Each structure stands twice: as structure tokens, then as C-alpha cells.
Amino acid sequence: MTELGPPLSLLAEVSHRCPLRCGYCSNTLALDPASAELDTANWCRVLEEAAALGVLQVHFSGGEPTVRPDLEKLVACASAAGLYTNLITAGVLLDRTRIQALRDAGLDHFQLSIQDSSAASADKFAGFAGHAKKLEVARWVGELELALTINAVVHRGNLPNLESIIELAVELGAQRLEVAHVQYYGWARLNVAALLPTAEQLDQATATVEAARERLRGKLRIDYVIPDFHAQYPKACMDGWGRRFLGVTPTGKVLPCQAAETIPDLSFDNVREHSLEEIWYRSPAFQRFRGTDWMPEPCRSCDRREIDWGGCRCQALAFTGDAAATDPVCEKSPLHHLVTKATEEANRSTEAEYTYRSWDYRDGGAPTGFGS
């Protein structure tokens, strides 16, 4: 196995608070309240430690990272440490003055999420009337000459509009579009039946993306992420557990993948007590599924073992109850039928209930429960 190097990317989840209520959100169901979030000084220390460890880029995310009034200070800390800075945001809490302040603090890249190409549909999926504001934000980003990525999470409900979503990204002046099918963790796990596309929808979406890539070559880069449930083999989750990526939650827990807290028998070290370097190289949670020694058959003897690194541990847990099992997305898994069954059930469900992420983001209180 390749010798372990430093992580390349840090996901800084600075808050779980968010005015949107997207039912495909990848945040865990147990959201962290504002009162428990790391303060400015701790976040700046984490960013400095990340740069010293070898991290090249930081992605400020959430929730909605712009709920933090100190976000400009965090961007400045990251920039001063030599990190490439990317903001992943819904944009609805921003005005032009603050975008300029973030740029002046050292923000390198702006990644704006959209839910669909029309306000009626987008606002329905977001559970928040924000589409018009997003379009305004994208224009401000262009005026301020920040690099812009449009992030479009696609699913059964908005896939019929994929062509117009691509055209909207062009109209907004984006240099990059990420067409990312929903991955079924966190809140999205509750909504599989309402969100999972049929195989026919997936085939059409793939054809649409390929045609757009050819048509827009040199004008718009399109990255495309398919849903695991329809894949032949699992993806290399985060390029392998604890190999290239680490994430820090709002309260300071350090994770090898964004959904890792769903694994109940793992305990994650916190930056309040340990350095990032110590956690990266010596934390038991990062060691647990790193490399190939932990793998069961058929993974252990598979020629893909250092390509997909066993797939997703959280997905294995969700389907089988065992995070160490072969990812059942893989056609070689003895439990692959569980994924096939889930896909067939979702395909039969035409009127599935859509459960919204529920949170009172303004006072930072605890989640208010599930609402639809």
C-alpha cells in the first residue's frame, strides 16, 4: 500500500445552522447547536495546524457557513496560512458588501448551491424562498471577479430540468458546474424513496451531461457524480478512509468522512484536546478503516481494493448494520441484493413523502424535529 502522506483537503463545517431545509442534506440528524461551536481562535488554530500538516485547500461549509459573523476572520486566517480557500454556500444570507469583504479577506473561490432552474421548483426543494437571491448573489460574485462554481444536487424531482440547470450555470457566468446526484447519507437517507432516480432517468441525465460537456468545452467545466445505488462498483469514499481528507465539525470533532459519526462504535478526537497532526496519524478512528488490512473478503483479494478502498463504511453500516462489511453497492458483495431491493422499492414509489431538514437557525437552538 502507498505510504500515508498528509491530507490534501479540509472540510471546515463551521456551523450546522442553515435557513434552508433541504431534504437531501448530508448533515447528520443530530445537528450541533450554535452554543457548542468552536470560537474564532480555535478555528484559526485549526487552520494554521492544517497548513502545517500539509493541507492545500480548505472548504468552508456547514450548514450555512455565512451564519458565522466571523467568517471573514476565518478566511483571513486560512489565507494567511497559505491555504486555498473555497466557500460552499446557499448564498441567501449574503449581500454584495459582505461578498466583497470575504474576497478582500482572501477568499479564492465561491461555490453556490442551487436546487433547480426555476424559483417555484427550487424553493420547494429547499423549503425556503431563496432562488431569486441566489441569482443575484451569482451576479455579484461575477462583478467582484471571484471564481464561481455552481453546485446542483440532482434527484428524481429536478432531473427533468437538467438541461435548463446547465444553461442557467452558463448564464450566471460559472466556470464550473458540479452536477451531483444525491448521496444517501444524513437527511437524504430519510428521503430515498422521494429522491432516488430511476435507471432510465440516470441514463438520460448522463447523456445530457455528456452532450453538454462537448457543446460547452472550453466554456464550462462539468463534474458529474452518479448515485451509488445505480453504480456497478462503490466509489472510493473521500479517496479512501483517512487517506486524503479530513473534516472538522462545528464542535471540533475530526472526521475521516462527513458522515462518519453515524458509525456508533467509533469515537472521534476533538481539536480542543488534540492537534490535527496527532489525530491524522494516530487517532484510532482514522486507523480503523485506513488501508486494506481491515477488509473482509471479497474486498481483501479484489484487484480493486486500492481503487475504491472498500467503498463507503457509512453505507455498509446503513444497509447491513456492520460498518466493516463489504459495501453492498458493489456487485461482488454477498449483500448486493439489499441495494437492488432498495432501488426497486424507490422506483415503485411515485408519491413518496418528502421530509425536510428541520432547524431554527436564527437562535441556534436544537433541531425542532422532522417536518414535511
Side-chain angles (χ1 to χ4, degrees), residues 12-321:
E13 290 187 301
V14 295
S15 180
H16 277 160
R17 292 172 285 155
C18 182
L20 274 62
R21 303 172 60 223
C22 306
Y24 54 76
C25 182
S26 60
N27 284 157
T28 61
L29 301 185
L31 299 168
D32 294 331
S35 59
E37 292 172 4
L38 292 177
D39 61 16
T40 308
N42 271 307
W43 269 118
C44 283
R45 176 178 56 80
V46 167
L47 295 164
E48 290 165 359
E49 289 183 4
L53 183 57
V55 169
L56 301 177
Q57 54 190 358
V58 57
H59 305 276
F60 291 102
S61 181
E64 173 50 55
T66 62
V67 301
R68 296 269 310 213
D70 62 348
L71 184 59
E72 291 89 336
K73 294 180 180 178
L74 303 186
V75 169
C77 286
S79 182
L83 296 171
Y84 183 88
T85 56
N86 177 40
L87 175 62
I88 304 172
T89 177
V92 297
L93 302 181
L94 290 169
D95 57 26
R96 193 182 192 283
T97 299
R98 194 166 191 214
I99 297 171
Q100 182 170 346
L102 288 164
R103 183 202 64 180
D104 293 347
L107 185 66
D108 294 302
H109 191 274
F110 197 100
Q111 188 166 334
L112 179 68
S113 67
I114 61 171
Q115 282 67 42
D116 209 332
S117 56
S118 70
S121 180
D123 294 345
K124 170 189 171 185
F125 293 124
F128 182 89
H131 184 73
K133 179 63 176 291
K134 290 170 180 281
L135 303 187
E136 192 173 28
V137 165
R139 286 191 289 271
W140 291 332
V141 169
E143 291 171 2
L144 293 166
E145 299 183 337
L146 272 167
L148 174 64
T149 287
I150 296 295
N151 181 41
V153 178
V154 294
H155 47 80
R156 181 186 301 185
N158 63 6
L159 274 175
N161 303 323
L162 180 55
E163 188 68 61
S164 58
I165 290 172
I166 294 171
E167 291 308 313
L168 178 60
V170 174
E171 292 171 14
L172 294 175
Q175 293 80 49
R176 174 177 170 267
L177 168 66
E178 182 175 304
V179 178
H181 284 266
V182 169
Q183 304 298 310
Y184 295 96
Y185 317 116
W187 292 75
R189 188 75 189 177
L190 300 176
N191 287 307
V192 174
L195 296 170
L196 186 68
T198 64
E200 291 75 18
Q201 282 183 310
L202 178 61
D203 288 344
Q204 180 58 55
T206 302
T208 297
V209 167
E210 290 305 320
R213 280 173 167 168
E214 183 63 28
R215 184 175 72 253
L216 299 170
R217 188 181 304 276
K219 185 174 184 179
L220 178 70
R221 172 184 167 184
I222 304 178
D223 292 338
Y224 185 55
V225 182
I226 67 169
D228 281 356
F229 282 29
H230 288 301
Q232 181 181 13
Y233 299 112
K235 66 179 182 297
C237 185
M238 312 312 296
D239 200 24
W241 181 280
R243 294 187 67 250
R244 293 288 181 265
F245 164 92
L246 53 77
V248 179
T249 72
T251 59
K253 292 180 184 177
V254 184
L255 309 179
C257 88
Q258 192 174 5
E261 285 186 280
T262 61
I263 302 176
D265 59 343
L266 288 183
S267 178
F268 299 98
D269 291 329
N270 196 294
V271 295
R272 300 178 198 266
E273 290 88 34
H274 304 275
S275 71
L276 277 188
E277 181 181 23
E278 179 183 355
I279 294 170
W280 176 252
Y281 286 109
R282 292 181 285 281
S283 168
F286 274 74
Q287 301 282 358
R288 177 65 181 88
F289 300 114
R290 181 180 270 159
T292 59
D293 289 347
W294 63 272
M295 291 181 178
E297 292 293 353
C299 298
R300 182 180 290 270
S301 57
C302 181
D303 59 5
R304 293 181 55 85
R305 64 185 176 276
E306 292 193 16
I307 297 174
D308 58 39
W309 299 99
C312 177
R313 299 302 87 224
C314 303
Q315 194 155 252
L317 174 70
F319 273 106
T320 73

